[in-house]
Structures are given as C-alpha cells and as structure tokens.
Amino acid sequence: MKREIITTGDGSKTIQITDWNEQYHSKHGAIQEAYHVFIRHGLDLFDNTAVDILEIGLGTGLNAFITLLEAGNGKYKVTYCGAEAYPVAWEEASQLEYVTALMVPNKENDFKQLHEAPWEIPTEITPFFTLTKKKMDFNDIEAQEMFNLIYFDAFGARVQPELWTVTIFRKMYCALKSEGYLVTYAAKGSVRRAMQEVGFIVERLPGPPGKREMLRGKKPL
Ligand SMILES: C[S@@+](CC[C@H](N)C(=O)[O-])C[C@H]1O[C@@H](n2cnc3c(N)ncnc32)[C@H](O)[C@@H]1O
C-alpha cells in the first residue's frame, strides 16, 4: 500500500497509509496524542515502580521512545514488549525526526537502537528500558497475566474492525495482571462494550486535542 510522511497539527510527523486514509497517529498531533493517551492516562498511573508494558502496534516506535524518555534515569524500570506484524523500516522511521521534534538530541542512538534491536530477544536499550520486539499477529497473542499496562494502538476500527472485537480484547484481558490497565485512543461505543463484555471496568476520559474522548479499561482484582 502507498505510504507517505505527513506533518500533523503539532508539527510532528507521522506515516499516512494513503489507500486507507489512515495514519499511524492523530492528524491533530502525533506526539501530543502519544503523550496524552499513553503517558498521561497510562504510564502516569504507576508510581516509581517496575512496569511491564505490552504495545499493540510498535509501528514507528514513537510510543516506545517516549516511554523510554519517561523512564529516564530510574523514574520507572520498564520492560516493554512491542508486538508488530509489519515493521517500519529504519530508513522510514528516521525520516519522522522524532528525536528533533522531542528536543532530545542526546537520545538519537536510543531511538535507533529501538529500531535495530533484534526481534524476539530482550534488549536493554537503557538500564531502565528493556525492549522485546515480537514480530507477530495480534491474533496470536497468548500471554497470561504478564503485563501491568497495555498500549492498545491498532489502526482504527474503520479500517481494521477485526482488531476491536471481543476476541481480541479477551486476549488483552488475559495478558494483563490483575489491577492492570489498557489505554486506547478509541472512544467508540462498540469498542467500549466489547471491553466491558470481557470484564474490563471502562472509563471514558477526555481525548487528546481534536478528539472528545478516549477509553481506559482496568482489570479488577
Ligand atoms: C496505529 S499503528 C501503531 C503506531 C505505533 N504505536 C507508533 O507509535 O508508531 C498500528 C500498527 O499495527 C500494525 N498491525 C496492523 N495489523 C496488525 C496485526 N494483525 N498484527 C500485528 N500488527 C498489526 C501496523 O503495522 C501498525 O504498525
């Protein structure tokens, strides 16, 4: 499918899949959305602890990279599993210029390492951020009670409705430890109901600029 790099509302870039008119991040602001949904309403729930994260759709590595930045010098100790069936090549990811946009020139090498890390092997990118990239289809996720937090960042239900179903959310629920959270930019009623059906306690939260709401599910104790 044809792809191009576009500039979003906050000046940061993302990839657009032209045939689907679908982007890897919000057109209103890629970096802004990533911080709002996954950090503010996800990672920030955790207080100076070891956090095991599963990302549904590693994509450009932006969510992984901002999580690495948040872990900093020990605010968190993150183990991060990024599931992705169709990896973004470094040649494309580097054109997004996230290191510049985030104003972290000294982290250029960390962003590159996220992309160049081998698949399937846990790789320590920093002492506080260990990444395992898993080249797999989301439908094949069979993890049981392994994660504290899931970043659910699949393409939208308009283009991939099969990824926003009870079947997939049941896998997510099983993959979470009790009292774990799943955050997503989506806000559709059908998504909320699918999450509730598998057992999540679902909150509607204010969305990032350009989007009224987003969803967060908690797996009860
Ligand atoms: C919205 S993008 C993820 C953006 C990413 N979180 C980032 O920060 O760049 C969705 C991702 O899901 C991947 N994907 C789509 N269908 C998939 C499937 N069935 N299994 C695994 N990955 C899939 C796509 O290749 C894409 O990278």
Side-chain angles (χ1 to χ4, degrees):
M1 274 189 286
K2 190 169 175 296
R3 303 152 73 85
E4 62 180 320
I5 291 177
I6 61 163
T7 300
T8 67
D10 65 357
S12 63
K13 295 180 185 174
T14 192
I15 301 168
Q16 171 156 270
I17 300 182
T18 320
D19 297 340
W20 281 356
N21 188 26
E22 180 76 6
Q23 298 77 32
Y24 277 61
H25 309 94
S26 166
K27 280 194 288 193
H28 298 282
I31 287 180
Q32 186 172 257
E33 176 199 45
Y35 267 100
H36 180 95
V37 175
F38 301 107
I39 305 297
R40 194 159 319 135
H41 289 304
L43 187 62
D44 281 357
L45 293 167
F46 296 85
D47 200 10
N48 297 318
T49 47
V51 189
D52 294 323
I53 299 176
L54 169 64
E55 178 170 26
I56 294 300
L58 183 66
T60 66
L62 174 61
N63 292 341
F65 187 49
I66 62 174
T67 303
L68 175 152
L69 297 177
E70 287 297 302
N73 288 325
K75 182 173 172 200
Y76 300 103
K77 190 162 173 64
V78 174
T79 58
Y80 198 98
C81 175
E84 175 61 61
Y86 316 103
V88 174
W90 169 245
E91 293 66 36
E92 190 177 25
S94 59
Q95 291 174 47
L96 296 165
E97 298 178 333
Y98 287 141
V99 172
T100 307
L102 288 159
M103 294 183 286
V104 285
N106 58 334
K107 302 289 181 191
E108 178 87 56
N109 201 38
D110 290 348
F111 186 59
K112 190 163 192 218
Q113 270 198 50
L114 289 178
H115 281 274
E116 295 192 336
W119 292 84
E120 320 305 333
I121 300 170
T123 304
E124 189 180 285
I125 310 288
T126 79
F128 304 102
F129 187 92
T130 296
L131 173 67
T132 307
K133 304 198 299 191
K134 287 201 175 276
K135 191 161 186 301
M136 67 185 304
D137 194 290
F138 303 143
N139 288 290
D140 297 331
I141 289 174
E142 302 289 354
Q144 300 280 331
E145 308 211 343
M146 279 181 60
F147 302 102
N148 306 105
L149 177 61
I150 295 178
Y151 294 169
F152 197 86
D153 198 17
F155 287 129
R158 181 182 62 85
V159 294
Q160 288 197 297
E162 70 281 6
L163 297 179
W164 299 88
T165 57
V166 165
T167 309
I168 294 281
F169 285 119
R170 186 162 289 127
K171 286 178 181 289
M172 299 300 120
Y173 191 85
C174 290
L176 277 177
K177 300 179 193 184
S178 68
E179 300 200 284
Y181 289 91
L182 177 150
V183 274
T184 180
Y185 65 87
K188 275 179 88 148
S190 57
V191 173
R192 179 168 48 83
R193 288 187 292 278
M195 289 170 67
Q196 284 167 333
E197 192 173 327
V198 303
F200 281 110
I201 298 163
V202 182
E203 286 172 272
R204 286 197 189 106
L205 298 167
K211 197 141 192 302
R212 205 157 57 88
E213 291 182 332
M214 58 166 276
L215 298 174
R216 179 168 69 199
K218 182 174 186 183
K219 179 171 180 172
L221 194 60

